[in-house]
Amino acid sequence: MKRAFAWAAFTFGLVYFFLPLAGMVEFSLKMRRGTYSLDAYASVLNDPQFRATFGYSAMMALLTIIFGVVLVVPTVFWVRLKLPKLRPVMEFITLLPLVIPPIVIVFGYIRLYNTSSWLPLTGSATGSDILLMIGYSVLSLPYMYRAVDTGLAAIDVRTLTEAAQSLGAGWITVLAKVILPNVLVAVLSGAFLTFAIVIGEYVFAALLDRPAFGPYLVWSGGNKAYEPAALAVMTFALTWACMALIQLATRFSKHTRMQPK
Amino acid sequence: MSFLTLSGLQKSFGPNNVVKSFDLDVQKGEFVSLLGPSGCGKTTVLRMVAGFETPSKGTISIDGQDVTHLRPNQRNIGMVFQAYALFPNLTVAQNVGFGLKIKGVSASESKDRVADMLRLIGLPALGDRYPFQLSGGQQQRVALARALAPQPRVLLLDEPLSALDAKIRVSLRLEMREIQQKLGITTIFVTHDQEEALSISDRVVVMNAGIADQVGTPFEIYNQPKTCFVANFVGTLNTLEATVKDAATGRISINGILTTLPAPLASGAAIGLALRPESVHLTQRTEADITLPATITSVHFMGSVIRVQATAAGKPMALDTFNRPDTPPPLIGAAVNLSFHPRDLIVLQG
Amino acid sequence: MPNLRKLPLVWLGAAPFLIYAVLFLLLPTANIITGAFFNAEGHLTLANLANLFKPEIVNAFALSIRLSLSSAVFGCLIGFAIAVAVSLGGLPPRLRAVTMTFSGVASNFAGVPLSFAYLATLGRVGFVTVLLRDTFGVNIYGLGFNMISFWGLTMAYVFFQIPLMILIITPAIDGLKREWREASEVLGATHVQYWRMIALPVLWPSLLGTLALLFANAFGAVATAIALTGSMLSIAPILLFNQIRGDVLQDPHLGYALAFAMIMITGVSNLIYIIMRTRSERWIK
């Protein structure tokens, strides 16, 4: 009886998740009348708008990741090494983006950094791009921080740092050659997750009026028939790839990561 | 007529024969320990008695009733687990009263019984605490009270002390034994700790690779081990080799010294002999003693007992002597004559 | 001299991050919150909050809360059932690993593409709609179903709520000790009694906490709803979205009040989650 219930629950989940995915795939193949074809995909790939917006979002994701790593890794390292009292504060700050709805954060940006403010970031395209990237880094902060913090928890930061310093290494060398390689897997996990979050993000990009992939998706949904399904399939594949890469990185780390005592 | 009977028990998981053939008769009110290294099948035997595993072969009966195929909740058995088995969402009193509630015992009757049990385990004031507020030792006492509250026919203890600190382990095992004797409840106790098993049991079953090697009182198990495994697993042992001169009279030769064993031997050219460290002495005590020249290699002062290691005829020998304030222990490197009485020799089989 | 200089230097290491957090997380949020309590002339007032009780805003919040609650409850129940099934149900262990990996993907597959998947499946010419109509002769749109509706949106939300539930509740289920089940069994309890008296009460704080988290998760979601309903359905985040885009409320400070109310709701939900989590961690160690 127990096993029957278990199979029933599992099968229900399978159907619930399989049907929309199947529907999405099936629909994306129906562009040509009467037969299945990849026309919708060809149409998407040939759309210069798609290439422009996708390229823009991919670039944004990359910049967000770099910005996030440069900001988070040294900070987490420093807090662990010199300011352990600050850890609860860090925990709280990095939890906030999960508590405050993104739409409220971007609302605050628009009010605080508009053309008439002391820092008129929304006044120019570059300024808006910077604000969007920073906004994305805030969205991914909870994941990035936790990944790096867990990664650093597994190694003895103090001993490694002191050992490197006793051999004459400076702070930059310590970070780049000692700390970063040891948290590389954590950083990679955070990076792929950031990519998955950023690539299709809508609210920030739409409200800051940037030509990103998310607004393009919504536009496509309102104006095309089969292309949205093809876009959804591609986004799903991308999300899946990001998660697969995280798993791969984690598995890889089990062989290379220094064993904690 | 024994109260709990296990006969011809076998259990295999796939191709693994964990319990090969196990027979045991336990008298009413008896405290029997299953002793053995991990993987010897002792826990599996206990879990079969509890009903968590179904035997591949054999039967289990309690008080004349065949329970082999009864579910665990129909057996009326009490069990204490290794650790952390208290229900975390219930208070101590609710934990102890759980079995009574399931049985449908009235609230007032259950309350009295719970209070009795908490007094029995010496924690009468902790009824309203939650398990996470108790120490490990207190938790295991509550677990004992919870197992005993519904007045089970048999009590099963599955290494209940192994997760505790050494000091509490010793005091709690004595307390458990006291409670067991007070209630006169038939008990099976599983442990890998030989000292634990010897100190509180009426009888000990030494298990090895799915078989009971020897069943006996702690005195018998320790002094007359029947197999090499039992002799080695229980206590420390010195081994000697001897040549048989005359099997019928028990005449043997150790290092060229002729002596006679109290019992006749099966015929053979060479036999293995064993000696407990407390049977070896630094001085010759009687005429019958055999002496071996030896060199002291190390001295461990452990308090009331001093454990001395020596080399005799190229083999290591351990001996225990009591501490005497007026006699300092021998020095390392000193040449001594070790002596023992031939009747203390244990003949090893297999 | 070294002592005097040591303290500021140590803090300098954390300064970039703290400045970043203040500028792009704390100040913007504080700006919205304080804005909710001032009028256009810069005077302290509660009028903005009072204005939230206009029927259109109250209705939007009511709809948002109903939507978030129903998607959270369904996500919780179904996700819990699946998590129990793959962890304790005696299914092949591989299924559990597959389920966990898939949950990681599906919980991140939200927003615009998710709504496309649902439209392609249950829209007027969607895969399942057509399949039911042509093969089984059941016209679900004729029966009153509409993807662009409360229940349609709930179904779409549940798609990312279930995997989130599975990811969060599975560790709690793993925390149920085998000994608890066995101890209850030897004491005479049946499986049902074990679940009713031990397992569910132990999991209760986790379940309640995760429900609050799923609620907040759905409450802040905007993109799925916009892509699915084209900002037609008047839920609180869409109202705020439209307000930011074009001041549809004719009162910028009402927008602050709206955002403030949203922070309050998601804040309280998250607080419940954190409190419940600490409670269950006290038990399961």
Side-chain angles (χ1 to χ4, degrees):
Chain A
M1 200 201 87
K2 187 177 82 178
R3 194 163 303 179
F5 158 79
W7 276 114
F10 183 79
T11 311
F12 179 87
L14 201 67
V15 171
Y16 198 95
F17 285 92
F18 177 74
L19 273 184
L21 299 177
M24 156 181 104
V25 172
E26 200 260 1
F27 204 77
S28 74
L29 298 172
K30 281 210 305 203
M31 193 172 183
R32 195 180 298 173
R33 211 165 266 280
T35 172
Y36 286 134
S37 72
L38 293 173
D39 287 6
Y41 294 88
S43 166
V44 165
L45 292 173
N46 285 324
D47 184 354
Q49 277 290 92
F50 164 77
R51 286 189 237 166
T53 55
F54 188 82
Y56 177 86
S57 281
M59 179 54 87
M60 269 298 150
L62 204 65
L63 291 175
T64 305
I65 290 165
I66 294 170
F67 179 78
V69 171
V70 169
L71 183 74
V72 170
V73 174
T75 308
V76 174
F77 164 68
W78 192 257
V79 168
R80 275 197 169 265
L81 192 64
K82 301 269 181 183
L83 291 166
K85 268 184 288 183
L86 205 62
R87 282 200 68 200
V89 179
M90 296 288 292
E91 295 270 339
F92 178 72
I93 290 175
T94 55
L95 207 67
L96 279 182
L98 294 178
V99 178
I100 306 165
I103 189 167
V104 174
I105 297 175
V106 70
F107 189 22
Y109 285 5
I110 290 167
R111 294 293 167 183
L112 214 52
Y113 303 113
N114 58 32
T115 42
S116 55
S117 75
W118 62 280
L119 191 62
L121 283 173
T122 60
S124 66
T126 319
S128 297
D129 286 344
I130 292 174
L131 202 54
L132 182 62
M133 183 203 74
I134 290 178
Y136 284 165
S137 73
V138 169
L139 288 189
S140 67
L141 188 61
Y143 311 101
M144 196 54 119
Y145 172 80
R146 244 138 281 257
V148 173
D149 193 52
T150 324
L152 277 184
I155 62 173
D156 190 347
V157 174
R158 185 175 295 271
T159 312
L160 278 186
T161 306
E162 282 166 2
Q165 282 181 324
S166 75
L167 296 169
W171 284 115
I172 304 286
T173 319
V174 169
L175 267 177
K177 297 218 163 143
V178 180
I179 300 303
L180 200 58
N182 274 300
V183 293
L184 192 62
V185 172
V187 168
L188 280 178
S189 304
F192 292 128
L193 200 59
T194 304
F195 192 89
I197 293 169
V198 169
I199 195 71
E201 199 283 332
Y202 174 69
V203 175
F204 266 74
L207 291 177
L208 290 173
D209 207 14
R210 300 315 301 147
F213 189 52
Y216 170 78
L217 284 173
V218 170
W219 171 83
S220 154
N223 294 283
K224 303 272 178 102
Y226 299 99
E227 284 86 344
L231 285 166
V233 171
M234 289 157 76
T235 318
F236 185 76
L238 209 60
T239 312
W240 189 283
C242 285
M243 296 301 140
L245 285 171
I246 291 175
Q247 292 234 323
L248 207 68
T250 322
R251 203 165 301 164
F252 176 67
S253 78
K254 285 188 185 135
H255 302 295
T256 57
R257 166 91 65 75
M258 192 182 98
Q259 292 299 313
K261 282 171 280 185
Chain B
M1 178 71 196
S2 63
F3 185 71
L4 169 67
T5 310
L6 316 180
S7 54
L9 276 192
Q10 290 184 29
K11 180 69 187 175
S12 22
F13 298 102
N16 259 354
N17 285 332
V18 179
V19 177
K20 282 171 191 145
S21 177
F22 192 86
D23 298 277
L24 182 67
D25 290 321
V26 184
Q27 303 303 315
K28 194 170 172 71
E30 199 180 13
F31 190 114
V32 175
S33 291
L34 304 186
L35 172 67
S38 62
C40 71
K42 59 190 190 298
T43 299
T44 309
V45 169
L46 195 78
R47 290 176 64 81
M48 285 193 280
V49 177
F52 298 132
E53 312 284 355
T54 313
S56 309
K57 249 188 199 157
T59 57
I60 301 165
S61 69
I62 301 174
D63 202 7
Q65 179 199 12
D66 183 350
V67 301
T68 315
H69 296 289
L70 283 186
R71 300 174 50 78
N73 56 12
Q74 300 164 326
R75 292 193 181 192
N76 192 13
I77 276 177
M79 181 153 174
V80 178
F81 296 83
Q82 270 194 27
Y84 317 117
L86 291 182
F87 305 132
N89 57 319
L90 304 181
T91 62
V92 166
Q94 287 169 331
N95 261 286
V96 176
F98 185 87
L100 302 170
K101 194 172 170 185
I102 295 287
K103 270 188 166 176
V105 174
S106 74
S108 62
E109 199 184 328
S110 159
K111 205 177 154 204
D112 293 342
R113 179 108 187 106
V114 168
D116 285 347
M117 293 319 295
L118 291 180
R119 259 196 305 279
L120 184 70
I121 57 164
L123 301 174
L126 298 189
D128 293 329
R129 296 267 185 98
Y130 280 91
F132 73 92
Q133 296 167 313
L134 303 181
S135 71
Q138 288 172 330
Q139 288 191 26
Q140 287 306 72
R141 282 173 214 223
V142 175
L144 180 66
R146 181 179 68 180
L148 291 172
Q151 293 170 308
R153 296 187 287 186
V154 176
L155 177 66
L156 306 178
L157 306 171
D158 184 10
E159 307 214 21
L161 306 168
S162 63
L164 302 178
D165 295 340
K167 248 194 178 147
I168 301 167
R169 214 150 58 199
V170 174
S171 63
L172 194 53
R173 78 184 182 212
L174 297 175
E175 214 173 310
M176 284 183 145
R177 171 62 159 162
E178 244 170 64
I179 290 171
Q180 183 268 336
Q181 284 177 321
K182 198 184 286 178
L183 300 179
I185 183 164
T186 313
T187 302
I188 300 185
F189 175 68
V190 159
T191 180
H192 61 264
D193 184 329
Q194 40 110 356
E195 187 191 317
E196 226 166 75
L198 296 178
S199 63
I200 57 174
S201 313
D202 292 317
R203 277 193 301 155
V204 176
V205 181
V206 183
M207 285 190 70
N208 177 30
I211 296 174
D213 262 28
Q214 187 174 357
V215 184
T217 65
F219 186 85
E220 290 165 353
I221 294 283
Y222 188 81
N223 293 309
Q224 297 138 35
K226 280 193 184 148
T227 68
C228 251
F229 175 81
V230 175
N232 275 305
F233 190 75
V234 181
T236 313
L237 214 61
N238 299 305
T239 51
L240 297 168
E241 272 146 32
T243 348
V244 180
K245 294 290 175 197
D246 182 5
T249 55
R251 196 89 181 134
I252 58 166
S253 147
I254 305 169
N255 267 13
I257 305 166
L258 286 176
T259 185
T260 308
L261 290 170
L265 290 161
S267 59
I271 53 163
L273 296 171
L275 262 178
R276 295 286 180 201
E278 60 268 30
S279 306
V280 186
H281 308 284
L282 287 165
T283 49
Q284 190 167 9
R285 295 179 161 199
T286 62
E287 280 294 301
D289 273 9
I290 296 171
T291 60
L292 291 173
T295 316
I296 306 289
T297 54
S298 71
V299 177
H300 302 279
F301 189 79
M302 301 193 290
S304 64
V305 172
I306 302 167
R307 163 75 48 98
V308 177
Q309 300 276 356
T311 316
K315 293 192 84 178
M317 283 275 256
L319 69 104
D320 288 347
T321 72
F322 278 112
N323 170 49
R324 291 223 311 266
D326 57 341
T327 320
L331 298 171
I332 293 171
V336 290
N337 278 322
L338 300 181
S339 72
F340 53 86
H341 198 282
R343 75 160 180 260
D344 291 336
L345 284 167
I346 303 164
V347 179
L348 298 178
Q349 293 160 349
Chain C
M1 202 43 196
N3 266 338
L4 275 177
R5 286 184 54 197
K6 200 178 170 191
L7 185 78
L9 263 181
V10 163
W11 282 89
L12 217 55
F17 181 85
L18 293 177
I19 292 170
Y20 157 87
V22 167
L23 280 185
F24 297 105
L25 187 56
L26 302 178
L27 267 187
T29 313
N31 183 267
I32 299 295
I33 294 176
T34 52
F37 292 94
F38 286 93
N39 61 17
E41 289 78 42
H43 297 303
L44 206 60
T45 177
L46 289 175
N48 300 320
L49 296 185
N51 280 339
L52 285 177
F53 291 94
K54 285 180 186 172
E56 48 172 319
I57 299 180
V58 170
N59 286 341
F61 269 96
L63 186 59
S64 257
I65 290 174
R66 267 174 54 212
L67 179 65
S68 310
L69 201 61
S70 66
S71 77
V73 167
F74 280 112
C76 225
L77 291 177
I78 302 169
F80 182 56
I82 295 175
V84 170
V86 297
S87 300
L88 306 172
L91 301 186
R94 262 199 69 81
L95 282 188
R96 183 186 144 110
V98 170
T99 304
M100 296 308 284
T101 309
F102 181 82
S103 297
V105 178
S107 63
N108 280 297
F109 185 66
V112 188
L114 174 66
S115 60
F116 290 170
Y118 267 91
L119 284 174
T121 308
L122 286 165
R124 284 190 185 276
V125 288
F127 174 56
V128 171
T129 313
V130 171
L131 192 77
L132 286 174
R133 190 188 60 203
D134 295 352
T135 315
F136 300 98
V138 182
N139 183 355
I140 53 170
Y141 275 77
L143 294 171
F145 176 82
N146 190 349
M147 194 58 218
I148 307 169
S149 67
F150 177 82
W151 288 111
L153 209 53
T154 302
M155 273 181 78
Y157 277 25
V158 168
F159 188 94
F160 60 75
Q161 299 278 46
I162 292 176
L164 192 60
M165 177 71 184
I166 294 177
L167 289 179
I168 299 177
I169 205 69
T170 300
I173 293 174
D174 288 342
L176 292 176
K177 301 260 182 320
R178 188 181 73 172
E179 284 86 352
W180 297 341
R181 203 194 66 231
E182 292 182 346
S184 74
E185 258 183 289
V186 283
L187 289 167
T190 61
H191 272 282
V192 175
Q193 282 172 320
Y194 160 69
W195 273 95
R196 191 165 58 77
M197 297 165 83
I198 309 298
L200 279 180
V202 167
L203 289 174
W204 191 237
S206 306
L207 288 171
L208 218 57
T210 316
L211 184 73
L213 191 76
L214 295 191
F215 177 85
N217 187 39
F219 196 85
V222 188
T224 315
I226 287 183
L228 203 56
T229 67
S231 71
M232 297 276 290
L233 204 66
S234 188
I235 58 173
I238 291 188
L239 201 62
L240 181 60
F241 186 86
N242 290 339
Q243 161 69 13
I244 297 170
R245 274 218 151 155
D247 197 12
V248 292
L249 302 171
Q250 277 99 38
D251 178 359
H253 284 266
L254 191 51
Y256 291 137
L258 207 60
F260 172 71
M262 284 183 65
I263 298 179
M264 283 297 111
I265 290 175
T266 53
V268 168
S269 318
N270 275 282
L271 196 67
I272 294 174
Y273 169 66
I274 292 168
I275 293 171
M276 288 297 164
R277 219 189 129 113
T278 5
R279 257 195 84 174
S280 73
E281 271 168 8
R282 197 180 63 179
W283 281 352
I284 301 173
K285 230 181 271 170

